Amino acid sequence: MLQTLRQHLRHGYGRHIWSRSLTTAAAASITQRSSTLAEVPQSSRLSWMLLPTKKSTKRGDTCSVATTTDMLTKAGYIHQSSAGIYTLMPLAQRAMDKIERIIDDEMQSVGGQKLAMPTLLTPDNWIKTGRWQTTGDELFTLHDRKQSAMLLGPTHEEEVTAIVKTMVRSFREYPLRLYQTTRKFRDEARPRAGLLRGREFVMKDMYSFDVTRDQAIETFGALERAYRRCFDRIGVPYAVADADSGNIGGSLSKEFHFVHGSGEDTVLACQSCGYAANEERARGSCSAHGAAYLATVVDAASGSRVAQRLVVVPAGHEPSALKIRQAWPLEPGHRLELAPANVQETQRAAADMLEPLVDACALGLPESPSVSASVAGDWHVAQAGDSCTRCASGVLTAQRAIEVGHIFYLGDKYSRSMDLTVLHQGARHYVQRGCFGIGISRVLQAAAECCSSSDAGLRWPLAIAPFLAAIVPLAGTSHVPQVYKKLAQVVVGGKCVFENNVAVDDREYLSPGFRLHDAQLLGFPLTLVLGRAFAAASEVEVQLRLPPTLSLPRAAAGIELTCIDDEYRAHVHLDRLAEFLGCLLADACPQTLH
Ligand SMILES: [Zn+2]
C-alpha cells in the first residue's frame, strides 16, 4: 500500500485523486455498515469487530465443543499465539477491563496506590533474596547486548522493596499499599487450559509495607475483606481457603478459589465450622495406624545426602512435602526427597537422626516402623473423610477448585534479605510485609469455565460479560435505535446498567440464522431479537443465557419466562421492555451489577 502511494506521488498523481478515492472507499464501507445506527458507538457494533465468522459452522457444533478454551477460541475471545501464550481479542479485553475496574475500585478503597513496575528486570535484587538461585526453570531469563543477564518478572517483591528502600525515609510514611496490573511471565512446564495455566498472563499484585506486625495483620484483614468484595462483585461462587502454616510467627495466607469440578486444586472443607483449606496445606486428623517415610535432603548438584529425618503419617495418607519443608526449610541448592521407609532404614535413620521430627522412642523401634498416628504430628496430606482439627466434630469433604487469588502476610521476608528497615520508637526494625495477588486473565477464563457447559455453550457472570446484551435485528437496522433507547432507561440499583453495555449485530451481510447462532456462541447474558414478531407487533424476543448459579424468577413484571434447551425466553412488547429487564435483573442479580 505504502509502495503504491509513493508511486502515485512520484508519478504525479495528484493528492486530490488520492484523497477522493479514500473518501469514496470510506463512504462505501460506512454505507455497508448501516447509517441508521448513529447513536450506537462503532465499538459496540459487531460489523466493526474482529470475529471468526466461520460461515460453515453448523448450529449443532456447539454440542461437540468440549472445553472452555475451545469455546473461547471459536467465539473469537482468545487467539493462541504459541503454547500457553494468547492474544486477548477485543471481546475478552472488554471483559478483562470490567474485572480490572472492579479490582481497581476495591484496591483503592483500602488505600491502594496503582503504579507500573518494569517487566524487564536485572537479577541484582533477585540475587540478594536468593530467588535468582532457587526459582529454577520457571523463570524466563535472557541476556542484553552486553551479555548481562536479565529476567522477565514473574512477580515484583524485590523490585517494589528496592523502590520503597530508596524513597521512604520515616516511619510516618507508612503504611504503604502499592499495586499494579501487569503481564507476568512464568515458563510453565506444561502450559494448558488456555488462560488458566499460561506462560504469559495478566495479574494484579499488591505489596504492603507496615511498621509493626499488628499493623501488617490489620492490612491482611483489610485486604481479605477487599478480596471478598471483589469476588462478590464478579459474581462467581468462591471459597476462601485457609492456608495458615500453623507456625508461630510464621506466615499467614489465604487462597481464593472458584469452586468447580474442572479445577486442578482440591479444597477440603468442614461443613460444621466453615474451615476450608487447600488439600496440600489442610489439617485433618485420622486415627489409622501410621506409615513411616524417610525425608532426605539431597544436594542437587552433587546428589549427596545432606540430612535425613523420619516422618510418620496415618496409614493410607501421603506425606506432605510442603508441610515438611515449612518445618524444615531447605538451603538454596538442596532438594527434598520422600520415600517409604522399610524396617532397616527406619532403624538406621532413628539411630543417626538429626533433630528427629518424631520422638524415636514413641515409634516403638526397632520392632516396626508402624506407629500410632497420634505421635506423628501433622506431616500428611489431609483427605476427605479426615476429622476436622478446628472443631473436632466435623468431617472434611473435598471440592475441586480453581485458584484465582492468594494473599500473604510475609512478616520480614524480603525486608530482611534486602535490608529494608524503619526507625520506630527508638529502635530499628525490619518493615513488615504482605503481598496480595489476583490472576486477572485466569479469573476471566475460570469465570467462563464455572458458568458455561458444553451443552449450553458459553455463559458469563453479568458483571464481567463483555456486553450485557446484544440486539440482533433480523430485518434491517431501522428499529434498533428505538430498542437501544429503551435499554438506556433501565436502572438497577441506581445504575444505568446498559450504558456502553449493548452490542448490535449489524452484520446485515450475514443470514439471520447465522447471526442467531453467533449470539449463542458469544454467550452474552441477554439477546434481544427483532424478528417477525417485532415487525408485526413491536414484540421483542428476549433470550437469556445466564450462569446456572443464578436463580431465575418464573416471571418478571408479570411477563412469563419459558425454558427451551437450557435457555430462557420471553416475548416482551417494546413499551414494557425497560420495566421487564429492570425487574428481571434486580431479581436475578441485585449485587453484581453495581
Ligand atoms: Zn470443623
Side-chain angles (χ1 to χ4, degrees), residues 269-275 387-396:
C270 169
Q271 304 304 327
S272 319
C273 71
Y275 170 75
S387 304
C388 175
T389 54
R390 184 186 281 177
C391 71
S393 64
V395 171
L396 300 181

Side-chain angles (χ1 to χ4, degrees), residues 246-265:
N247 297 341
I248 296 160
S251 69
L252 172 68
S253 82
K254 289 190 178 184
E255 297 163 340
F256 289 74
H257 291 269
F258 287 167
V259 178
H260 192 258
S262 73
E264 56 182 24
D265 281 301

